[in-house]
Amino acid sequence: MVSQTEEQYGSRTLRGALSPNSIARAERVWSAATVLARLALAAGFLSAVADRFGG
């Protein structure tokens, strides 16, 4: 008998998607993305300040 979860998602189950390793990996990815976004915003801000003051 096929469960509803297996029927909806095929052989991939939700239990595998929520393992501690995948959660830790997702947290690392979000941390890296946050750092990169902050660096990009800081560079844009400094560029705007330099343009404003003729730098």
Side-chain angles (χ1 to χ4, degrees):
M1 182 175 187
V2 176
S3 69
Q4 185 177 3
T5 303
E6 289 176 349
E7 186 176 308
Q8 289 175 350
Y9 300 106
S11 62
R12 195 175 132 214
T13 62
L14 292 176
R15 189 182 333 150
L18 298 176
S19 71
N21 287 338
S22 63
I23 292 171
R25 187 178 321 125
E27 287 179 6
R28 282 193 305 271
V29 168
W30 278 111
S31 295
T34 301
V35 168
L36 290 175
R38 287 181 180 180
L39 287 173
L41 287 171
F45 175 76
L46 291 176
S47 176
V49 170
D51 285 345
R52 175 71 175 101
F53 292 105

